[in-house]
Amino acid sequence: MCRWAAYSGEPIYLEHIVSSQTHSLIEQSHHATEAKTSTNGDGFGIAWYGDRPEPGLFRDILPAWSDCNLKSLARQIRSSLFLAHVRAATGGGTRRDNCHPFVHGRWSFMHNGQVSGFERLRRPLEAQLCDRLYSARVGTTDSELLFLLALHFGLERDPVTAIETMLKHVESEADRLGFETVIRFTAAFSDGARLYAVRYASDRKAPTLYSAPLGRGHCLVSEPLNDDRDAWVAIPDGSVVVIEGHEIAVQPFGGWLYERRVPELQLVAK
């Protein structure tokens, strides 16, 4: 299972999440504490938003802990919204095209989880894509295909509904083929203005997701970046998180669970 972290708020250097915390994403790449495997060494990637609508993207197949370029970039790049991911492959070879985040237009997407029986589902699901989205598929992972399917189902118009429709469609396709798939899906995605995250599993065993303030912003992570457990809130299984500006809201798929509005974050970075 992979590890990821995302941030939205006042611009910070990427290193605050990628490398400088006591349990940073690089630390998690070789010593994760809340994953089935502690090592996530099958590549890494970062997508960050700057002055242009489309995000910058840097991915490689090296383990995150061994790439000096990653640490150097993270020390120099400031962004108000970025996604970062270290990969433990459950499907698809170790190649750059299979590393997260995935980017299409202004959208970025990363995923922790898996779809059981994906090899049986892959061809019929790919056939659902229009020519434009099918030609954008360059890797072989279930994660990239789920992202493109979400775009097919209207991610640019209504992101939360598109993700929900996409997951239901995958489950329905498995039913049509005569088997039951298990989907475990904890993902983050953004259009550069809002940061979204979904924690969902068809067997109610979704990969972990936590939230905490960081400086004048907010971060979402697979596991806490430090030992201050009181600062981190576990996001419930079956939830959607939406961060826009200084506002954060958490809701279940299909209806509001609770909503916490933060007019101004004046919190010390953890």
Side-chain angles (χ1 to χ4, degrees), residues 23 37 55 62 102 177 199 219 228 244 252 256:
H23 196 53
T37 59
L62 291 173
F102 303 100
L177 294 173
R199 185 179 181 217
C219 60
D228 186 3
E244 182 178 11
W256 288 97

mmCIF file of all heavy atoms in Angstrom, residues 23 37 55 62 102 177 199 219 228 244 252 256:
data_model
loop_
_atom_site.group_PDB
_atom_site.id
_atom_site.type_symbol
_atom_site.label_atom_id
_atom_site.label_comp_id
_atom_site.label_asym_id
_atom_site.label_seq_id
_atom_site.Cartn_x
_atom_site.Cartn_y
_atom_site.Cartn_z
ATOM 1 N N HIS A 23 8.422 12.329 10.668
ATOM 2 C CA HIS A 23 7.877 11.165 9.954
ATOM 3 C C HIS A 23 7.402 11.626 8.573
ATOM 4 O O HIS A 23 6.270 11.371 8.162
ATOM 5 C CB HIS A 23 6.732 10.537 10.754
ATOM 6 C CG HIS A 23 6.362 9.150 10.302
ATOM 7 N ND1 HIS A 23 7.280 8.128 10.182
ATOM 8 C CD2 HIS A 23 5.169 8.619 9.933
ATOM 9 C CE1 HIS A 23 6.663 7.031 9.772
ATOM 10 N NE2 HIS A 23 5.383 7.305 9.612
ATOM 11 N N THR A 37 2.814 -3.029 4.303
ATOM 12 C CA THR A 37 4.253 -3.133 4.103
ATOM 13 C C THR A 37 4.885 -1.815 4.526
ATOM 14 O O THR A 37 4.369 -0.742 4.208
ATOM 15 C CB THR A 37 4.606 -3.431 2.637
ATOM 16 O OG1 THR A 37 4.082 -2.391 1.804
ATOM 17 C CG2 THR A 37 4.012 -4.760 2.201
ATOM 18 N N PRO A 55 -0.615 21.837 -13.238
ATOM 19 C CA PRO A 55 0.398 21.594 -12.209
ATOM 20 C C PRO A 55 1.737 21.174 -12.808
ATOM 21 O O PRO A 55 1.795 20.575 -13.886
ATOM 22 C CB PRO A 55 -0.211 20.448 -11.395
ATOM 23 C CG PRO A 55 -1.073 19.714 -12.382
ATOM 24 C CD PRO A 55 -1.637 20.772 -13.292
ATOM 25 N N LEU A 62 13.007 5.735 -8.781
ATOM 26 C CA LEU A 62 13.890 5.515 -7.644
ATOM 27 C C LEU A 62 13.101 5.562 -6.340
ATOM 28 O O LEU A 62 12.088 6.249 -6.237
ATOM 29 C CB LEU A 62 14.982 6.577 -7.601
ATOM 30 C CG LEU A 62 16.044 6.556 -8.697
ATOM 31 C CD1 LEU A 62 16.937 7.779 -8.574
ATOM 32 C CD2 LEU A 62 16.868 5.279 -8.605
ATOM 33 N N PHE A 102 -0.981 11.426 -11.034
ATOM 34 C CA PHE A 102 -1.298 11.489 -12.453
ATOM 35 C C PHE A 102 -1.895 12.866 -12.733
ATOM 36 O O PHE A 102 -2.593 13.436 -11.893
ATOM 37 C CB PHE A 102 -2.286 10.388 -12.835
ATOM 38 C CG PHE A 102 -1.771 9.018 -12.496
ATOM 39 C CD1 PHE A 102 -2.193 8.371 -11.345
ATOM 40 C CD2 PHE A 102 -0.852 8.393 -13.311
ATOM 41 C CE1 PHE A 102 -1.710 7.111 -11.018
ATOM 42 C CE2 PHE A 102 -0.356 7.134 -12.998
ATOM 43 C CZ PHE A 102 -0.785 6.488 -11.844
ATOM 44 N N LEU A 177 -19.834 -8.976 -14.954
ATOM 45 C CA LEU A 177 -18.906 -10.040 -15.349
ATOM 46 C C LEU A 177 -19.005 -11.261 -14.447
ATOM 47 O O LEU A 177 -18.317 -12.253 -14.665
ATOM 48 C CB LEU A 177 -17.477 -9.503 -15.354
ATOM 49 C CG LEU A 177 -17.175 -8.425 -16.402
ATOM 50 C CD1 LEU A 177 -15.782 -7.846 -16.193
ATOM 51 C CD2 LEU A 177 -17.308 -9.001 -17.814
ATOM 52 N N ARG A 199 -12.089 8.791 1.190
ATOM 53 C CA ARG A 199 -11.735 7.536 1.868
ATOM 54 C C ARG A 199 -12.932 6.603 1.773
ATOM 55 O O ARG A 199 -13.984 6.848 2.359
ATOM 56 C CB ARG A 199 -11.363 7.783 3.333
ATOM 57 C CG ARG A 199 -10.882 6.524 4.024
ATOM 58 C CD ARG A 199 -10.478 6.730 5.469
ATOM 59 N NE ARG A 199 -10.022 5.447 6.016
ATOM 60 C CZ ARG A 199 -10.251 5.046 7.265
ATOM 61 N NH1 ARG A 199 -10.904 5.827 8.108
ATOM 62 N NH2 ARG A 199 -9.817 3.855 7.654
ATOM 63 N N CYS A 219 -3.209 19.958 5.907
ATOM 64 C CA CYS A 219 -2.662 18.835 5.155
ATOM 65 C C CYS A 219 -3.488 17.579 5.391
ATOM 66 O O CYS A 219 -4.127 17.411 6.431
ATOM 67 C CB CYS A 219 -1.195 18.593 5.489
ATOM 68 S SG CYS A 219 -0.858 18.232 7.210
ATOM 69 N N ASP A 228 2.896 14.073 17.349
ATOM 70 C CA ASP A 228 1.861 14.822 18.048
ATOM 71 C C ASP A 228 0.491 14.306 17.625
ATOM 72 O O ASP A 228 -0.211 14.910 16.802
ATOM 73 C CB ASP A 228 2.005 16.316 17.751
ATOM 74 C CG ASP A 228 1.045 17.167 18.565
ATOM 75 O OD1 ASP A 228 0.309 16.594 19.399
ATOM 76 O OD2 ASP A 228 1.026 18.393 18.372
ATOM 77 N N GLU A 244 -10.946 24.389 0.616
ATOM 78 C CA GLU A 244 -10.891 25.537 -0.282
ATOM 79 C C GLU A 244 -10.540 26.762 0.543
ATOM 80 O O GLU A 244 -11.281 27.116 1.460
ATOM 81 C CB GLU A 244 -12.216 25.748 -1.000
ATOM 82 C CG GLU A 244 -12.180 26.921 -1.978
ATOM 83 C CD GLU A 244 -13.478 27.101 -2.728
ATOM 84 O OE1 GLU A 244 -14.485 26.458 -2.363
ATOM 85 O OE2 GLU A 244 -13.492 27.884 -3.697
ATOM 86 N N PRO A 252 -19.973 12.494 4.191
ATOM 87 C CA PRO A 252 -19.975 11.123 3.679
ATOM 88 C C PRO A 252 -20.307 11.118 2.203
ATOM 89 O O PRO A 252 -20.796 12.116 1.664
ATOM 90 C CB PRO A 252 -21.079 10.451 4.489
ATOM 91 C CG PRO A 252 -22.036 11.552 4.771
ATOM 92 C CD PRO A 252 -21.211 12.798 4.926
ATOM 93 N N TRP A 256 -24.221 14.963 4.086
ATOM 94 C CA TRP A 256 -23.306 15.622 5.015
ATOM 95 C C TRP A 256 -23.180 14.816 6.304
ATOM 96 O O TRP A 256 -24.153 14.371 6.872
ATOM 97 C CB TRP A 256 -23.791 17.030 5.342
ATOM 98 C CG TRP A 256 -23.613 17.938 4.193
ATOM 99 C CD1 TRP A 256 -24.554 18.292 3.272
ATOM 100 C CD2 TRP A 256 -22.403 18.566 3.794
ATOM 101 N NE1 TRP A 256 -23.997 19.111 2.329
ATOM 102 C CE2 TRP A 256 -22.688 19.303 2.623
ATOM 103 C CE3 TRP A 256 -21.105 18.585 4.307
ATOM 104 C CZ2 TRP A 256 -21.729 20.043 1.951
ATOM 105 C CZ3 TRP A 256 -20.144 19.333 3.650
ATOM 106 C CH2 TRP A 256 -20.457 20.043 2.488
#
